[in-house]
Amino acid sequence: MNLDVALKKRLEKVLEKKVKERAEEIYAECVDLGDMAIAQFYAAYSPIHYKRMHSFDYVCSPFKHKLSSIKYEVGIRVLEGVAVGHKDKLGDEYVFHGVMELGIHGTSSVAVSTPPMEVIRDYFAKFD
């Protein structure tokens, strides 16, 4: 094997390792980000007149897929069907949109804070 081929193979292995490490780091950041975005939303308003359901605790589902030896897809999937059981007459979809996209606490708009989706979008914007 000549030196050029050996160096090329070694560089490919180093690149694969670095890409995998970075994908793992971003995945870990996504796990933390999903948890933080929801926790930040809940912490922004402490309800007095209703019992919090915490149904949004598990809507952020981080994922990581290996597409090739040097390419990964990493992100957060927002699971709309997870946050169910709300009492609002307009339904769970309305509540989901109000919380995740608009940052509304309680369907009567008693408080508004940073929407979890805004926090998530801001994180991923740095990769554009």
Side-chain angles (χ1 to χ4, degrees), residues 26-27 30-31 61-65 73-77 123-124:
I26 293 171
Y27 176 78
C30 287
V31 170
S61 178
F63 67 88
K64 176 186 66 186
H65 301 290
E73 179 182 41
V74 182
I76 295 177
R77 195 170 287 110
Y123 170 81
F124 285 104

Side-chain angles (χ1 to χ4, degrees), residues 6-34:
L7 284 174
K8 184 177 179 184
K9 285 186 179 188
R10 180 66 182 135
L11 285 174
E12 287 173 358
K13 291 293 183 192
V14 169
L15 179 61
E16 286 178 23
K17 181 180 177 192
K18 291 296 181 187
V19 169
K20 181 180 180 183
E21 288 172 357
R22 185 61 183 132
E24 293 289 341
E25 289 171 1
I26 293 171
Y27 176 78
E29 290 173 10
C30 287
V31 170
D32 293 343
L33 175 68

